[in-house]
Amino acid sequence: MDLRSPAARAATVPRTLACALALLVAVSGCAGSGVDGTPGADGVRDPYFPKLGNGGYDVTHYGLTLGYDPEGRHLTGTAEITARAAKNLSSFNLDLKGLDVSAVTVEGKAARFQRAGQELRVRPADELDRGETFVATVRYSGTPETITDADGSEEGWLKTADGALALGQPAGSMAWFPGNHHPSDKASYDIAITVPKGLTAVSNGELTRESTKNGRTTFAWHSAEPMASYLATVAVGEYEMKTTATEDGLPVITAVDPSQAKAGKKALAKIPDILEWAEYNFGPYPFSSAGAIVDREEDAAYALETQTRPVFPGPPETGLIVHEMAHQWFGDSVTPRSWRDMWLNEGFATYAEWLYEEDQGGDSAQDTFEALYEGDYYEDAEDNEAIWDFPPAKPTDAAHISDPPVYERGAMVIHKIRRAVGDDAFYDIVQGWAKTYRHKNADTRDFTEYVEKHAGSDEAREKVGRIWGDWLYGDGKPDRP
């Protein structure tokens, strides 16, 4: 009971209230409630895919536990996403197309969530402070979608004759797991897939566990090196899986559909030698294993450089193997900062084909360059003309990031650099570029600055400066080289 006079008690109230409010603010600040937190962006504003990816955090690891029933085309998944808040966050987004989300937790506490198209917005029970590492867990299920790209190709979760194949360039990975699906946010992965006994589930990296229980087999795969989500893959089917090694002891893990095994055996046997050739030219192999997945031709319409284990529709020709293995350096290890920088992937990988052909006693890279410039490379005149539709570093829109100028004219830019600086400086540049940006992201400006810095002489720097204007960014067919 308060024995003071009413006037004395009244005078005390403001001071008491002020102290209580001050204490509340202090406690809230100490508890890290993030009262100044704001929502993370629902996209990274990529020039061609503005809604891909999300702002406000960086993912460091994905732990995916999946179960798939090919007969019913039903996928169940639990995604444990470890990330670091890049700002004070009241909420954040994940990319996820289709599939039903049953629960989301952040740091073990139930989080509110809502869906809007491909966006899954998560509001944690406690706001996240800048620099804080957190784990978001998403439980989901359903029939994963096949996505049709702007250029008409199919990606996402593809139904195959005996299972499924997940391909993610540029946006397909959001069809089978929630994440920050833009190449600028790379992470390590653990992917465990449980399938009916008798089927095999293949993914990136190394197989760490295989176990069978109650008629279902689990395959657990680990990828320690950072990987962009578009390079993650899962292949489910009746594969013949085999592990060999290069002379240096690098594991080479291949998974081949039985119908393709005989024809694919000779092609896949070339992988160790191709990797040895690539290391000589590009520097040390950037991952802890290599290999390939070979499916039926009707299961996918294109090959893809999925990290450590490229996917091929049918037995690949040597040039295609060289192309996808070169991507392990250019695209997978050195990953584009945005999809505008696609030519850094495809230009280098295409030029690797030219170099390999040259080193094997075939046409020289200069011969190939000349044939493309003169319009004699393809039988169809339209195919030859298509090379000049737009500059490699400026695709017209999302539907054209995989068009000929990105590949062939991109490779021509690389060859022009070689001619400008000479072979010794060129290979120093290529290997230095792969080393400097190993497991990182880079864009076209990073590349042009790197080349100019290491071009050697002032004359060479002047030449490469003209290459950027005429060949990399210039419209139309440049004047005769």
Side-chain angles (χ1 to χ4, degrees):
M1 181 180 293
D2 192 345
L3 300 177
R4 291 172 296 169
S5 67
R9 289 198 301 271
T12 306
V13 170
R15 286 199 307 273
T16 305
L17 181 59
C19 290
L21 289 172
L23 178 62
L24 179 60
V25 171
V27 170
S28 297
C30 292
S33 66
V35 292
D36 60 343
T38 57
D42 61 356
V44 297
R45 303 301 180 259
D46 183 276
Y48 301 117
F49 302 92
K51 287 294 186 180
L52 276 188
N54 301 283
Y57 65 94
D58 296 307
V59 178
T60 58
H61 183 72
Y62 289 94
L64 306 179
T65 303
L66 309 174
Y68 186 62
D69 173 24
E71 186 173 344
R73 297 196 65 198
H74 187 73
L75 178 74
T76 59
T78 298
E80 289 189 353
I81 303 165
T82 304
R84 182 185 60 83
K87 57 183 284 188
N88 295 332
L89 286 174
S90 59
S91 66
F92 60 89
N93 281 34
L94 298 167
D95 300 313
L96 181 65
K97 187 172 178 61
L99 300 172
D100 300 315
V101 176
S102 59
V104 180
T105 63
V106 178
E107 289 297 276
K109 296 182 180 181
R112 288 182 288 169
F113 64 91
Q114 62 185 109
R115 305 291 297 276
Q118 69 185 46
E119 300 294 330
L120 170 63
R121 170 149 289 191
V122 177
R123 185 177 293 275
D126 300 317
E127 294 187 355
L128 301 167
D129 290 339
R130 180 180 180 181
E132 179 180 352
T133 296
F134 63 94
V135 177
T137 303
V138 182
R139 300 184 187 280
Y140 59 99
S141 62
T143 301
E145 296 183 15
T146 297
I147 299 172
T148 300
D149 289 340
D151 65 1
S153 60
E154 292 187 336
E155 57 167 331
W157 195 266
L158 309 180
K159 185 181 185 300
T160 63
D162 54 0
L165 177 62
L167 299 178
Q169 185 177 315
S173 295
M174 66 179 174
W176 57 282
F177 70 95
N180 200 13
H181 291 298
H182 188 266
S184 59
D185 193 1
K186 302 169 72 170
S188 59
Y189 282 72
D190 281 288
I191 303 177
I193 320 105
T194 300
V195 295
K197 182 180 178 181
L199 296 181
T200 300
V202 187
S203 189
N204 314 85
E206 295 80 57
L207 183 65
T208 59
R209 177 172 57 90
E210 179 182 343
S211 59
T212 301
K213 183 179 180 181
N214 298 327
R216 295 178 68 79
T217 303
T218 299
F219 298 84
W221 296 85
H222 175 66
S223 296
E225 298 90 357
M227 177 165 65
S229 63
Y230 81 92
L231 298 169
T233 189
V234 166
V236 176
E238 297 177 353
Y239 295 105
E240 294 181 6
M241 197 156 64
K242 181 180 180 182
T243 300
T244 57
T246 65
E247 289 188 2
D248 294 334
L250 179 75
V252 178
I253 304 166
T254 57
V256 184
D257 185 282
S259 67
Q260 310 299 308
K262 184 177 180 180
K265 184 178 180 180
K266 184 177 180 180
L268 297 183
K270 297 178 181 179
I271 290 178
D273 288 340
I274 289 172
L275 288 173
E276 182 180 352
W277 171 87
E279 284 196 294
Y280 179 80
N281 286 277
F282 309 141
Y285 182 74
F287 303 109
S288 51
S289 67
I293 298 169
V294 180
D295 247 318
R296 296 174 171 89
E297 291 184 16
E298 61 268 25
D299 289 338
Y302 53 90
L304 187 64
E305 63 269 22
T306 42
Q307 193 158 301
T308 69
R309 203 135 300 121
V311 171
F312 298 100
E317 295 182 354
T318 301
L320 185 56
I321 297 176
V322 171
H323 185 103
E324 304 305 338
M325 292 304 161
H327 270 312
Q328 304 307 302
W329 282 262
F330 309 109
D332 295 14
S333 176
V334 184
T335 303
R337 188 166 283 121
S338 82
W339 287 110
R340 177 182 285 154
D341 306 303
M342 182 80 156
W343 83 275
L344 286 171
N345 294 16
E346 302 303 346
F348 265 113
T350 301
Y351 195 64
E353 295 182 63
W354 300 7
L355 290 176
Y356 188 84
E357 176 74 11
E358 179 178 279
D359 288 349
Q360 300 304 308
D363 289 343
S364 69
Q366 181 64 26
D367 290 337
T368 305
F369 180 96
E370 291 287 350
L372 285 165
Y373 188 85
E374 296 297 338
D376 299 329
Y377 189 77
Y378 295 105
E379 292 184 5
D380 192 320
E382 289 186 4
D383 290 337
N384 288 307
E385 286 298 320
I387 296 169
W388 314 110
D389 284 350
F390 56 82
K394 294 195 302 182
T396 51
D397 54 39
H400 296 93
I401 64 170
S402 294
D403 277 11
V406 173
Y407 286 70
E408 279 80 16
R409 187 168 167 182
M412 295 174 88
V413 170
I414 304 300
H415 185 68
K416 290 289 290 183
I417 295 169
R418 180 185 174 190
R419 293 293 301 272
V421 303
D423 275 10
D424 289 344
F426 173 75
Y427 285 104
D428 285 345
I429 287 171
V430 170
Q431 294 181 21
W433 171 253
K435 180 179 179 180
T436 300
Y437 288 93
R438 181 183 174 98
H439 302 317
K440 299 176 184 177
N441 292 92
D443 60 22
T444 300
R445 183 175 179 179
D446 293 324
F447 180 71
T448 58
E449 290 180 350
Y450 188 90
V451 172
E452 289 174 8
K453 182 178 179 180
H454 297 88
S457 66
D458 290 340
E459 180 184 1
R461 271 187 287 274
E462 184 179 343
K463 288 180 179 179
V464 297
R466 291 197 295 269
I467 292 169
W468 310 147
D470 295 343
W471 289 86
L472 187 58
Y473 289 108
D475 292 321
K477 185 176 181 180
D479 291 337
R480 188 73 175 87

